[in-house]
Amino acid sequence: MKKLTLSASDFASLLKEGGYGRQWKNVKKQYGLNELPPALGSDFSDRVISCIGKSSMSIFYHAEERRGMALHASSGKEALVEWVEGDQYTFWFQPYHEGMEELFKDFFALQEEREAVQVEEVKIQKWLIYEDSFEEDEWNELLEEEGVSEEERKTVREFKEKGYGAPNVMTTIFPDRLTSYREEAFIAGEGYVWLLDPETVEDSFFLGLKKIGVAEYVERLVLQAKEVLSPHTAEVKKFSIKRGMMFQLKGQIPLLVVVAILCMNMQVWEADGWLEIAVMVIFYGFFLGYPACLRPRRLFYI
């Protein structure tokens, strides 16, 4: 599998050379780059940069500080992997049908379960997870207080004993668009993961957690990547008459219903009634068809 490794400055140079101003400026700002070296590209690097610049959908994964990975839509059969370690970028095209499971296991350092994992769902007071200023004896006293449930005691002790850190986060990104998205976060255990309920992340008091096996979760990650990325390509036409015509044909159904209802009492129409109907149909077709020719603003959630 062919790979391309670049420093942050070389990556920014190639993006600039390719004409992707927003992307290269983001990289330059992120690493505090003042001057960029000359862009030294190749056919493979041109393909990589073009895919990043024109990709209509991307998913970003964050494991820890200064370490991340992104999957960019490339085709229905593969995605472009962007693996970041510090200021080093490595790129390759990853087929959906092979190697995706190992990719996620390697990036998140996930260990396969040795025995079946029983699914658990718990709700924990947030301060029990995020507060780390107490000594061990103080923690034990706090956990025995009346307001702490047995489920909370068990889960919090596991988190403290294993030294689990900040959650891993996945985010769907929509290039060049103002969109809504939802992040999904999880904490990796030994042979299992704790999923953070997105509905409770913003809650001021409780945090919802669900425990599932690594194999099940990795399968879920692969399925999400395929469903979100594979329908997209590295380049979506900004204007497509074919796309507009297909959408317009679908939109004719409600128009036909309205016209049929109006025709039910056509005997009482005025002399220019047909003209008004014709004008309505023409304007409806134009305002429905033209916007549909433009590149769609799709919303996907993971």
Side-chain angles (χ1 to χ4, degrees):
M1 188 178 295
K2 192 171 184 179
K3 294 187 178 183
L4 173 68
T5 300
L6 299 169
S7 66
S9 57
D10 289 332
F11 181 37
S13 293
L14 290 174
L15 286 170
K16 184 179 181 180
E17 182 73 14
Y20 304 112
R22 180 179 59 82
Q23 289 94 331
W24 80 261
K25 288 178 182 177
N26 287 343
V27 175
K28 183 179 179 181
K29 181 179 179 181
Q30 180 180 350
Y31 293 96
L33 303 175
N34 296 319
E35 296 184 4
L36 299 179
L40 301 175
S42 64
D43 290 342
F44 186 68
S45 68
D46 289 346
R47 183 188 173 199
V48 167
I49 298 300
S50 176
C51 182
I52 293 174
K54 298 177 180 178
S55 178
S56 58
M57 183 68 69
S58 302
I59 306 176
F60 284 74
Y61 305 87
H62 308 277
E64 57 189 48
E65 189 177 0
R66 294 181 63 79
R67 184 167 178 263
M69 179 177 72
L71 296 180
H72 303 283
S74 173
S75 70
K77 296 182 179 180
E78 63 183 10
L80 173 64
V81 179
E82 176 184 335
W83 187 295
V84 185
E85 297 273 359
D87 62 350
Q88 293 293 310
Y89 288 77
T90 302
F91 304 92
W92 70 91
F93 289 90
Q94 178 69 49
Y96 291 120
H97 67 276
E98 63 176 343
M100 289 292 286
E101 293 84 357
E102 294 305 317
L103 175 67
F104 287 116
K105 289 178 187 175
D106 290 346
F107 180 72
F108 291 118
L110 299 175
Q111 305 173 22
E112 282 279 14
E113 56 265 38
R114 297 178 181 176
E115 54 187 37
V117 175
Q118 184 176 357
V119 176
E120 299 179 25
E121 293 190 37
V122 297
K123 226 173 188 179
I124 297 179
Q125 298 172 56
K126 279 191 172 181
W127 69 271
L128 291 172
I129 295 293
Y130 294 107
E131 181 60 63
D132 59 1
S133 61
F134 298 110
E135 298 294 333
E136 185 176 351
D137 292 342
E138 293 176 308
W139 264 119
N140 291 330
E141 291 179 10
L142 289 169
L143 290 178
E144 294 302 325
E145 290 185 356
E146 187 175 342
V148 181
S149 68
E150 187 58 39
E151 282 185 333
E152 288 179 313
R153 292 189 186 101
K154 177 184 174 183
T155 307
V156 171
R157 284 195 174 109
E158 176 188 337
F159 275 50
K160 298 302 177 183
E161 289 173 3
K162 304 296 184 181
Y164 295 155
N168 302 276
V169 179
M170 289 164 286
T171 309
T172 304
I173 300 295
F174 308 85
D176 301 321
R177 304 171 199 172
L178 293 175
T179 61
S180 300
Y181 61 85
R182 185 172 68 183
E183 295 182 334
E184 179 175 297
F186 71 94
I187 298 174
E190 296 180 356
Y192 56 86
V193 299
W194 284 104
L195 296 178
L196 278 66
D197 181 357
E199 300 298 330
T200 63
V201 169
E202 300 299 325
D203 191 296
S204 59
F205 194 68
F206 283 106
L207 182 68
L209 297 170
K210 182 178 181 180
K211 182 180 183 180
I212 64 173
V214 164
E216 179 182 347
Y217 190 61
V218 169
E219 182 180 352
R220 175 175 169 173
L221 290 177
V222 174
L223 181 62
Q224 287 172 343
K226 290 179 180 177
E227 289 183 344
V228 172
L229 298 176
S230 60
H232 297 262
T233 60
E235 182 174 10
V236 177
K237 292 182 179 179
K238 293 183 178 180
F239 189 88
S240 171
I241 294 177
K242 179 181 177 181
R243 183 168 58 226
M245 291 298 293
M246 292 300 295
F247 187 82
Q248 190 179 46
L249 287 174
K250 296 176 183 177
Q252 295 302 323
I253 297 176
L255 178 62
L256 292 174
V257 173
V258 172
V259 172
I261 293 173
L262 292 175
C263 288
M264 291 174 66
N265 65 342
M266 60 185 300
Q267 65 274 11
V268 297
W269 286 6
E270 296 183 0
D272 61 348
W274 281 108
L275 178 61
E276 294 180 3
I277 292 293
V279 170
M280 181 187 73
V281 170
I282 292 172
F283 273 91
Y284 179 87
F286 176 78
F287 286 110
L288 181 69
Y290 179 76
C293 293
L294 302 176
R295 185 166 57 182
R297 298 167 65 99
R298 301 184 180 183
L299 298 183
F300 285 87
Y301 297 89
I302 62 171

